[in-house]
Amino acid sequence: MPIYLDHHSTTPCDPRVVDAMAPYWTREFGNAASRTHAFGWRAEEAVEAAREEVARLIGADPREIVFTSGATESNNLALLGVARANRERGDHIISCQTEHRSVLDPLAALEQEGFRVTRLAVDAEGLVDVDDLRAALDGRTILVSVMHVNNEIGVVQPLPEIARVTREHGALFHTDAAQSVGKLRVDVDRLGVDLLSLTAHKLYGPKGMGALYVRRRRPVLRVAPILYGGGHERGMRSGTLPVALCVGLGRACQIAGQEWETDAKRVLLLRDRLWQRLSTELDEVWLNGHPENRVAGNLNLSFIGVEAQALLVALPEVALSSGSACTSAQPQPSHVIRALGRGGARALGAVRFGIGRANTEAEIDAVAELLVEQVERLRAMSPLWHEPARAPSRS
Ligand SMILES: *Cc1c(COP(=O)(O)O)cnc(C)c1O
């Protein structure tokens, strides 16, 4: 089996989560909206217990949790829903250039509907400047959306500061927390967010399940649905709830609440071990993203003189992602790496490591060894690479 270091893409379902879900595929098959019999009551009970677990993990009230199919849907619901429901209050939304596509694309759709969108730049380490936000807010700004942890470079945005400025201005604040829930302390009051997106499959839960937190004690917080139908989830998200998946998300949140700190410490040691080895055994390896304000499991590294795509092809034993997309003949650096303002070689060499709960020290050592070997081999073949000693002027 290859070694899995791609935990930002998805995580395996924890066996305890699978066990918790098991009865709800067969014996406990009721519809949680059936009010007239025990099958429905038991399904509803399971769904509500799961809702409590999700709420507990993020410091919310269960009545503030709307179940969705994942963070893509949660982000769409937050952005489209808040914009459309608050149109008479304003037409301006502020977000950030390094957001996930499931934020950037609904924002582009809102521009088609006549909304104005400001996409804040980030600094060379991937962080938003709160002064830029202050300058971008105007009298018609209804919503600010900035992600918590970036899915490529792992940086943690300064949400409490962003929230303070946003609230002073009277706008609502949404965050995409798909990469932070279960990995950092996520508390909606401490962070100061009004809406928060999360997804089960990034925290050892099932794919196709997520939630949107919607703050209750904000009388102006209205969210228009994007799916119309039976009026489930207080009218914000119609559709029969997938009871087993809800239970899986709940159990994943419960485990995360008990274990995230221990997990994060272990994962951090593994990450530092990998970085230590690669940075001492290889020249010209650069860390992308802020060195301290980053989530434990992430490393995003550029190996100068090596194209990330070529490196991944040379390492079939390791599951990794590159910071570039092969959508055309020429690999293009991702929008996140480009937003850091780094030059071509550094952008094309960006590789993302996502370390998770089950990775071991032996795996990290094996990956480090393979990488050093392959980077040296590819560099020896590359016309772009010259030994640093022979090319001291290269920046
Ligand atoms: C994975 C991810 C998403 C999308 O989540 P899905 O549940 O797969 O739709 C959105 N935002 C971020 C930051 C992610 O990492």
Side-chain angles (χ1 to χ4, degrees):
M1 277 292 276
I3 297 172
Y4 191 75
L5 287 188
D6 200 15
H7 287 85
H8 302 296
S9 290
T10 193
T11 60
C13 222
D14 189 298
R16 293 168 288 181
V17 169
V18 176
D19 287 347
M21 291 192 290
Y24 295 94
W25 302 113
T26 52
R27 195 178 72 241
E28 302 289 347
F29 60 84
N31 184 328
S34 296
R35 291 284 152 76
T36 54
H37 52 69
F39 295 88
W41 302 331
R42 283 204 301 273
E44 189 191 15
E45 228 170 82
V47 164
E48 294 315 313
R51 199 186 301 279
E52 276 174 36
E53 293 298 342
V54 177
R56 194 191 326 275
L57 183 63
I58 61 170
D61 184 292
R63 289 167 294 182
E64 299 176 308
I65 304 299
V66 177
F67 285 130
T68 66
S69 62
T72 297
E73 187 188 334
S74 296
N75 288 337
N76 273 265
L77 178 56
L79 299 167
L80 302 174
V82 167
R84 291 171 183 166
N86 293 277
R87 180 122 217 187
E88 75 291 350
R89 294 181 53 232
D91 65 349
H92 182 228
I93 301 164
I94 300 172
S95 186
C96 163
Q97 289 177 1
T98 55
E99 294 291 319
H100 191 267
R101 288 285 302 276
S102 60
V103 166
L104 295 176
D105 288 2
L107 289 175
L110 284 169
E111 283 179 314
Q112 296 297 312
E113 293 179 24
F115 288 90
R116 292 175 298 127
V117 176
T118 302
R119 296 166 185 83
L120 301 175
V122 294
D123 64 17
E125 296 184 319
L127 297 177
V128 164
D129 184 336
V130 180
D131 289 331
D132 291 347
L133 168 64
R134 212 174 267 119
L137 286 158
D138 70 29
R140 302 279 291 161
T141 309
I142 45 181
L143 178 66
V144 173
S145 178
V146 176
M147 71 201 311
H148 195 191
V149 167
N150 184 274
N151 49 296
E152 288 191 37
I153 55 175
V155 298
V156 185
Q157 296 290 357
L159 295 196
E161 282 176 67
I162 295 171
R164 202 170 316 118
V165 171
T166 302
R167 282 200 172 167
E168 274 167 21
H169 202 83
L172 295 166
F173 183 33
H174 165 254
T175 193
D176 173 357
Q179 294 288 349
S180 65
V181 171
K183 302 186 183 83
L184 304 177
R185 180 177 310 286
V186 175
D187 181 290
V188 291
D189 289 333
R190 279 205 210 189
L191 295 176
V193 297
D194 299 306
L195 303 114
L196 177 148
S197 302
L198 61 89
T199 182
H201 78 102
K202 305 281 174 78
L203 72 142
Y204 307 93
K207 292 169 187 53
M209 184 67 211
L212 179 66
Y213 157 79
V214 183
R215 190 174 287 280
R216 284 181 83 229
R217 284 191 295 279
R218 285 280 291 213
V220 290
L221 212 178
R222 292 198 314 275
V223 180
I226 51 178
L227 292 179
Y228 295 86
H232 308 74
E233 301 297 277
R234 290 176 292 123
M236 277 183 269
R237 205 283 192 173
S238 286
T240 300
L241 286 170
V243 179
L245 299 182
C246 293
V247 169
L249 172 61
R251 183 72 177 112
C253 286
Q254 185 185 42
I255 294 168
Q258 293 157 353
E259 300 182 2
W260 77 266
E261 280 179 288
T262 329
D263 276 351
K265 280 191 196 125
R266 264 197 70 252
V267 160
L268 187 62
L269 288 176
L270 295 178
R271 191 211 42 210
D272 288 346
R273 185 180 181 92
L274 183 61
W275 171 233
Q276 190 60 33
R277 282 201 58 175
L278 295 177
S279 58
T280 52
E281 293 174 33
L282 287 169
D283 293 319
E284 297 284 308
V285 183
W286 296 95
L287 175 67
N288 298 311
H290 196 282
E292 282 99 40
N293 294 340
R294 58 193 304 120
V295 74
N298 177 278
L299 262 191
N300 191 301
L301 302 179
S302 289
F303 300 89
I304 305 300
V306 176
E307 277 190 6
Q309 300 283 352
L311 187 55
L312 300 200
V313 170
L315 288 166
E317 314 87 335
V318 191
L320 291 169
S321 273
S322 77
S324 46
C326 242
T327 46
S328 57
Q330 285 292 311
Q332 295 294 320
S334 79
H335 68 284
V336 176
I337 301 292
R338 272 193 315 239
L340 303 179
R342 305 289 193 189
R346 182 146 168 186
L348 287 175
V351 175
R352 180 181 74 180
F353 300 81
I355 302 169
R357 193 182 270 173
N359 286 128
T360 63
E361 226 169 69
E363 286 180 324
I364 294 299
D365 289 346
V367 169
E369 204 158 303
L370 285 165
L371 265 163
V372 169
E373 188 183 304
Q374 291 304 323
V375 167
E376 283 174 347
R377 190 182 65 85
L378 289 166
R379 279 176 175 175
M381 289 165 32
S382 167
L384 300 173
W385 175 251
H386 309 281
E387 288 296 326
R390 277 188 274 137
S393 60
R394 186 169 29 78
S395 58

